Amino acid sequence: MINELPDLAKEDLKYNLHANPVEPATYNLTLVYPNWTPPAPQPKLMNGDQVKNNLRKIGIFL
Amino acid sequence: MTVKFYHHAGYTPTMTTPDYMYNVYDRTQAMIKCPAIECITPIGSLVEPKSIEELCYNSAANMVSKAESGKIYVTWSGGIDSTLVLSELLKIAPKSQLVVLMDNNSIKEYPDFYKTYIEGQLETRSMSFYTDDPLRAALKDGIVVTGHLMDPVFGANIYQALPADRLQQSIPSFLAGLNEYSKTSYSNLIAACPRKLETVKDFFWWLDYTLNYQSEQLMWLLEIEDMILDKNLFHFGAGPDWNNYAVSTPTEVKWQGYEFNNYKMVIKQHIQKFTKDENYTNNKLKMPSWRHYRTDEQRRRDKAVWITTDWKRGWLS
């Protein structure tokens, strides 16, 4: 689960296109990665209609 | 089959220095590798670029063609880029087809344009920033067009904040003052540019152009499921030709010198051919286009966490 979405108050900068741009405190690169562990792939279960359709294709009618 | 994404808030970092960028995706993959994300539009090539006139005409013509008989909803902030979009469309589309999505700030930004070309002549709708409803409604009978992507083509929003002596600093001198991580990271990115970058002004354009472009492409799509890039949402600065222009055109052409009034002068001059507004060309500064518009809670709830390459969104809950 993503622990925290980006500080949304600062998201205004994105939409406001640097409303009051200030010189960076540093020109060094700082990248902040989210604390995210992608969920493990889950098997997808078909619903009843999907199962029936697939069976019809091979000649089995329920 | 491995799912690939155009956007994933879990895989993309936020840059906090030297500039602030959300969901950074490196279109070159030279500085930040992210195999889970697919590049929507590759960076441009070093070519003889098309002229501004041709680029602008082609962008507008593409929008008109894709709209077919539907409405063309033009998001007009009053800024340089969206004024360009509306000007170009007014040249080739019937007025009855155009709808201007705007707010009071748009009028304040460029009142003369509003009075001359919009008021009483074009249908207008309020661009409410507290709800996506105006954009959702637009998709029911038309397409939405924006002036987006012209910023990364031409430069960086942070330009205004950088002093002249920094902007003209050579790249080797600039890199020498940084920590090793930054030197290596920036050097990798600089090496991926088809054109030789000479100065910090060049570099900050390249930083924005490579790392901020895809995020800007998808900005509004994160909240509106029916919005599909290049199907019902079109950005004026999109496509291979604008990207070739971006890469092939020296930064001094996009912004000559260090007076911010000269930024995007070629665009302002192109607009002037239509409006004959010399004052705009000489004095218009790029201003922030869209203002603060919604609560943190609303944005957190509405914004998709990921978008797959077949345009399916995912939310946290």
Side-chain angles (χ1 to χ4, degrees):
Chain A
M1 183 66 109
I2 294 175
N3 284 353
E4 195 175 286
L5 290 171
D7 181 353
L8 292 174
K10 289 183 183 156
E11 189 179 358
D12 277 350
L13 282 175
K14 186 173 181 180
Y15 291 92
N16 284 297
L17 304 171
H18 292 270
N20 296 301
V22 294
E23 188 175 4
T26 173
Y27 287 87
N28 285 309
L29 177 66
T30 309
L31 296 174
V32 179
Y33 282 84
N35 188 359
W36 163 265
T37 303
Q42 297 294 323
K44 284 197 174 147
L45 298 176
M46 285 186 282
N47 64 30
D49 286 339
Q50 286 171 313
V51 171
K52 282 183 190 169
N53 281 336
N54 286 345
L55 290 172
R56 273 192 210 117
K57 287 176 192 169
I58 58 172
I60 299 172
F61 297 90
L62 299 179
Chain B
M1 191 166 64
T2 306
V3 177
K4 291 202 81 170
F5 303 93
Y6 286 142
H7 164 83
H8 200 301
Y11 291 130
T12 47
T14 298
M15 181 191 292
T16 55
T17 65
D19 198 355
Y20 216 102
M21 293 184 199
Y22 287 100
N23 306 125
V24 173
Y25 172 69
D26 179 357
R27 293 197 288 157
T28 71
Q29 292 293 282
M31 185 169 100
I32 306 168
K33 296 205 187 306
C34 188
I37 303 234
E38 191 166 298
C39 182
I40 300 173
T41 307
I43 62 166
S45 302
L46 200 57
V47 299
E48 184 61 42
K50 292 189 160 87
S51 68
I52 289 291
E53 286 74 16
E54 196 174 353
L55 287 165
C56 289
Y57 173 80
N58 288 348
S59 284
N62 179 54
M63 290 168 174
V64 170
S65 166
K66 294 290 169 58
E68 296 180 336
S69 59
K71 294 282 192 184
I72 302 175
Y73 289 86
V74 187
T75 55
W76 183 64
S77 68
I80 296 169
D81 300 327
S82 57
T83 299
L84 174 70
V85 179
L86 193 44
S87 301
E88 288 301 305
L89 287 169
L90 282 168
K91 293 175 190 174
I92 62 173
K95 288 183 182 178
S96 58
Q97 193 175 13
L98 302 177
V99 181
V100 183
L101 288 173
M102 52 176 276
D103 65 5
N104 286 333
N105 282 320
S106 313
I107 301 174
K108 285 180 195 168
E109 183 90 19
Y110 198 178
D112 287 345
F113 190 90
Y114 173 74
K115 287 194 179 62
T116 309
Y117 297 103
I118 300 174
E119 188 178 34
Q121 298 186 57
L122 301 179
E123 183 183 347
T124 60
R125 292 217 193 143
S126 183
M127 182 79 165
S128 166
F129 290 105
Y130 293 92
T131 168
D132 293 316
D133 287 347
L135 290 170
R136 285 182 215 280
L139 296 181
K140 288 186 168 46
D141 66 348
I143 63 169
V144 174
V145 307
T146 83
H148 291 180
L149 303 182
M150 296 298 283
D151 279 339
V153 165
F154 273 84
N157 295 317
I158 200 176
Y159 268 166
Q160 269 184 287
L162 304 181
D165 58 352
R166 177 64 75 175
L167 286 164
Q168 62 193 335
Q169 189 181 20
S170 75
I171 296 230
S173 167
F174 171 68
L175 292 177
L178 306 176
N179 61 32
E180 287 306 313
Y181 166 69
S182 304
K183 273 187 212 168
T184 304
S185 299
Y186 293 162
S187 296
N188 288 340
L189 189 66
I190 289 164
C193 184
R195 176 164 52 88
K196 187 167 188 281
L197 302 175
E198 305 278 4
T199 63
V200 167
K201 192 201 276 191
D202 288 337
F203 172 68
F204 271 90
W205 156 72
W206 182 239
L207 199 72
D208 197 79
Y209 174 72
T210 50
L211 306 185
N212 212 16
Y213 188 99
Q214 188 141 321
S215 172
E216 185 162 323
Q217 278 180 298
L218 299 173
M219 201 158 72
W220 290 353
L221 284 103
L222 295 183
E223 297 175 23
I224 304 173
E225 275 194 273
D226 294 333
M227 203 169 243
I228 308 279
L229 192 63
D230 298 330
K231 183 180 166 206
N232 53 26
L233 174 71
F234 297 88
H235 302 312
F236 200 80
D241 288 338
W242 275 114
N243 275 274
N244 288 342
Y245 176 89
V247 166
S248 305
T249 305
T251 318
E252 281 301 304
V253 171
K254 299 174 191 176
W255 179 24
Q256 188 185 20
Y258 307 102
E259 292 296 320
F260 202 61
N261 189 46
N262 290 330
Y263 177 64
K264 287 184 181 164
M265 183 54 77
V266 291
I267 296 297
K268 292 198 285 179
Q269 285 169 340
H270 184 71
I271 294 173
Q272 186 184 338
K273 289 179 195 170
F274 177 74
T275 63
K276 311 291 187 276
D277 185 351
E278 191 176 341
N279 180 55
Y280 181 86
T281 305
N282 292 336
N283 299 310
K284 174 76 179 97
L285 287 179
K286 173 182 170 55
M287 300 291 286
S289 290
W290 299 115
R291 306 324 195 250
H292 174 79
Y293 67 100
R294 64 186 68 194
T295 67
D296 289 356
E297 181 51 40
Q298 286 172 316
R299 285 179 289 189
R300 199 184 299 271
R301 184 185 65 224
D302 297 343
K303 201 170 288 293
V305 171
W306 65 76
I307 301 178
T308 65
T309 51
D310 58 358
W311 298 105
K312 294 192 175 47
R313 273 84 165 164
W315 283 263
L316 283 178
S317 59

